[in-house]
Amino acid sequence: MCGRFALTATPDQAAAFLDLAGLEDFPARYNIAPTQPILMVTAGPQRARGSNLPDRRPMLVRWGLIPTWVKDTREFPLLFNARSEGAAEKASFKAAMRHRRALVPASGFYEWRQTGGKKGQPYWIRPRHGGLVAFAGLIETYAEPGGSEMDTGAILTINANADIAHIHDRMPVVIDPRDFARWLDCRTLEPRDVADLLRPAQLGFFEAIPVSDLVNKVANTGPETQERGEIGPEPEKAKRQKPGTDHGQMTLF
């Protein structure tokens, strides 16, 4: 799964990476969590003949996809991830897979390795050579009962590669820049035509850095969430003693 990620690049860097005409200014975000707004990119309106302007458009989307057919959002689970293996057939995602595929720019993501403790060891997982990465995303516009509309989205995941599998068994689907146009082309390409893009990142693409548990709290939003640090084992609970027993002294009975 992918339940936290970061986008710390400048707007100019993100626009250049995604081939956008420009982006409004936004701050570095070190600890993005579900239900928060995230930047996603879709194919824009078809360009006029001879135009050299980018045909992609940025959107601000609530992270947590809500299908159009949901009646009561309070009784519906938070779909911030979508398993890529069955997304084209699953009722919650199949319309978005056909009509609203998107890119989610990120500087990296966080994952937790369960160590026997309650919280697990968090890792900051980033491209080994720096820069940005684009996760495969889906967008659905949900019409609320009152009539207003809300753009919502999810990140597609896949079985983790060997670099990540020792931490978690899932990872976000990474779309290579050479495949951006194919993935976003919902006019002429159906889900089956881009199924080959739903694969784990190449070995060596990511590096995983153990960090402290600061990232566990959504309120922690600064760069300290990415500083190296390891969580020690939890102290063993003292065994309960029978009333009146003192194991530090000898007793007659």
Side-chain angles (χ1 to χ4, degrees):
M1 61 180 289
C2 173
R4 297 284 177 85
F5 72 98
L7 177 58
T8 58
T10 67
D12 287 345
Q13 289 170 333
F17 176 67
L18 297 161
D19 194 17
L20 296 169
L23 284 171
E24 293 184 7
D25 194 27
F26 58 79
R29 300 176 66 192
Y30 291 88
N31 193 9
I32 302 172
T35 73
Q36 294 180 352
I38 62 173
L39 175 63
M40 299 184 80
V41 174
T42 66
Q46 202 158 9
R47 292 177 295 183
R49 185 182 298 273
S51 172
N52 60 357
L53 292 175
D55 62 346
R56 296 172 189 166
R57 66 185 182 112
M59 298 178 64
L60 203 58
V61 174
R62 173 202 184 255
W63 188 15
L65 187 143
I66 306 176
T68 56
W69 43 263
V70 171
K71 301 297 184 184
D72 187 350
T73 58
R74 295 170 300 181
E75 298 181 358
F76 194 75
L78 184 61
L79 301 180
F80 55 89
N81 285 166
R83 294 178 68 91
S84 61
E85 294 90 341
E89 290 78 36
K90 192 172 178 62
S92 297
F93 306 119
K94 63 181 181 180
M97 275 290 292
R98 177 63 186 89
H99 301 291
R100 288 171 292 279
R101 298 190 295 270
L103 298 170
V104 184
S107 301
F109 66 102
Y110 299 94
E111 196 52 85
W112 283 256
R113 178 171 63 87
Q114 297 306 312
T115 59
K118 293 181 179 179
K119 297 180 180 178
Q121 171 66 55
Y123 285 82
W124 165 234
I125 302 172
R126 66 186 183 187
R128 186 176 300 276
H129 301 296
L132 285 165
V133 64
F135 301 145
L138 301 174
I139 291 178
E140 193 67 83
T141 301
Y142 179 71
E144 298 179 298
S148 61
E149 292 186 341
M150 173 173 57
D151 294 319
T152 68
I155 293 173
L156 286 158
T157 66
I158 192 74
N159 285 330
N161 64 21
D163 291 336
I164 310 299
H166 70 287
I167 300 172
H168 197 276
D169 62 350
R170 305 289 294 179
M171 67 185 301
V173 173
V174 174
I175 302 296
D176 188 278
R178 295 170 296 182
D179 298 316
F180 283 179
R182 277 186 64 204
W183 174 251
L184 295 178
D185 182 3
C186 296
R187 298 189 187 99
T188 63
L189 298 180
E190 297 185 8
R192 65 173 178 266
D193 299 320
V194 293
D196 61 297
L197 303 181
L198 302 176
R199 57 181 184 263
Q202 291 185 346
L203 290 176
F205 181 82
F206 283 116
E207 63 177 346
I209 301 168
V211 294
S212 74
D213 60 359
L214 287 174
V215 69
N216 293 359
K217 294 184 179 180
V218 178
N220 295 328
T221 58
E224 64 275 4
T225 58
Q226 295 177 1
E227 293 177 359
R228 184 179 292 271
E230 296 194 34
I231 299 174
E234 293 184 1
E236 293 185 10
K237 294 181 180 179
K239 295 181 179 180
R240 296 185 63 182
Q241 299 179 0
K242 294 181 180 180
T245 302
D246 184 352
H247 291 288
Q249 301 180 16
M250 294 182 65
T251 126
L252 293 175
F253 303 99

